[in-house]
Amino acid sequence: AQTVTQSQPEMSVQEAETVTLSCTYDTSESDYYLFWYKQPPSRQMILVIRQEAYKQQNATENRFSVNFQKAAKSFSLKISDSQLGDAAMYFCAFQETSGSRLTFGEGTQLTVNP
Amino acid sequence: NAGVMQNPRHLVRRRGQEARLRCSPMKGHSHVYWYRQLPEEGLKFMVYLQKENIIDESGMPKERFSAEFPKEGPSILRIQQVVRGDSAAYFCASSPQWAGGSEKLFFGSGTQLSVL
């Protein structure tokens, strides 16, 4: 079974600074998808960024980028120029290409200090 | 186009009562997924349904929990004889088709179930 581990329960960053959230996973699959979701206090799950394992190029979405290290099974999220609205719980998630379910990590609570 | 609608947003039940959680997928979506989020934890997969079919219920507890997605109407997650350990946020997500690796998976805002 796949597992996803987020080793940082809490992180904080100063506004306009850069922060990196860590995620590691375990799988025997060679092809899969990885995601970062944001969950603000409203509880809404918002997709931040998505990476396909067969693509070597790291995904980017505006201020959000990932560092995907397939051999190390690591998938970290970098948030540049942090904004107050970035404060939320962030979840890393894994999905097999043949499956439908998402396996989530335990989450990292990000605080952005003004 | 309204998003995934879940109701109620908050549900309080006493031990032994039944809880019924509703999920109306986005218009045009025929696939529904239910996840449970216990306090201080990530979301855990429960069940995947298409209209009138349960595709994958491997994450569903064997007793007291059931789910359906009828041809007409919302998907229902039903918990019979609730216990305190059922207290959690229950999320529904929908997609227009099988959402393998797709960004076309949309989540609702969840139902917070509190069991007294």
Side-chain angles (χ1 to χ4, degrees):
Chain A
Q2 287 78 19
T3 59
V4 177
T5 302
Q6 294 178 247
S7 58
Q8 307 155 314
E10 298 176 349
M11 290 284 284
S12 63
V13 64
Q14 290 297 126
E15 196 175 2
E17 297 292 309
T18 295
V19 64
T20 299
L21 308 184
S22 301
C23 173
T24 59
Y25 57 94
D26 188 26
T27 182
S28 57
E29 302 291 325
S30 59
D31 200 12
Y32 45 86
Y33 300 96
L34 294 163
F35 306 83
W36 278 97
Y37 279 89
K38 171 184 178 181
Q39 186 181 43
S42 67
R43 279 205 317 247
Q44 183 76 43
M45 293 290 287
I46 302 166
L47 177 63
V48 175
I49 201 164
R50 163 182 173 268
Q51 174 80 41
E52 298 167 23
Y54 67 87
K55 290 186 177 178
Q56 293 186 346
Q57 186 172 7
N58 290 322
T60 62
E61 286 288 342
N62 301 313
R63 297 182 297 105
F64 298 88
S65 61
V66 298
N67 183 4
F68 174 47
Q69 301 289 328
K70 190 172 184 180
K73 295 179 181 175
S74 171
F75 182 61
S76 60
L77 174 69
K78 185 171 84 172
I79 306 174
S80 303
D81 185 25
S82 298
Q83 300 175 359
L84 295 177
D86 295 334
M89 182 73 86
Y90 286 81
F91 291 99
C92 177
F94 171 99
Q95 185 185 46
E96 296 177 4
T97 53
S98 59
S100 55
R101 67 166 64 189
L102 290 167
T103 300
F104 286 87
E106 300 297 306
T108 296
Q109 181 67 52
L110 178 66
T111 301
V112 181
N113 300 310
Chain B
N1 188 9
V4 178
M5 303 300 291
Q6 289 189 248
N7 66 82
R9 186 148 172 82
H10 300 278
L11 181 62
V12 179
R13 285 289 178 265
R14 296 191 179 280
R15 282 178 295 170
Q17 292 184 320
E18 177 180 288
R20 291 171 68 87
L21 288 62
R22 294 176 180 76
C23 169
S24 295
M26 287 184 70
K27 186 177 181 181
H29 288 196
S30 58
H31 295 230
V32 164
Y33 312 77
W34 285 94
Y35 287 80
R36 176 166 65 174
Q37 184 178 27
L38 294 169
E40 310 299 325
E41 295 187 11
L43 280 71
K44 299 287 194 295
F45 170 82
M46 299 182 75
V47 62
Y48 165 36
L49 311 105
Q50 293 177 27
K51 288 277 188 181
E52 300 183 281
N53 283 304
I54 297 175
I55 306 302
D56 179 359
E57 57 181 346
S58 57
M60 192 90 96
K62 294 290 186 286
E63 297 179 352
R64 302 187 298 107
F65 285 73
S66 62
E68 63 176 6
F69 188 19
K71 186 176 180 180
E72 301 291 338
S75 175
I76 305 289
L77 179 66
R78 182 182 177 206
I79 311 172
Q80 295 177 287
Q81 300 175 336
V82 297
V83 301
R84 288 212 173 117
D86 297 332
S87 295
Y90 291 83
F91 287 89
C92 170
S94 75
S95 64
Q97 57 194 20
W98 175 70
S102 171
E103 64 271 28
K104 296 190 189 299
L105 180 67
F106 296 88
F107 280 85
S109 295
T111 292
Q112 180 65 51
L113 172 65
S114 298
V115 180
L116 304 179

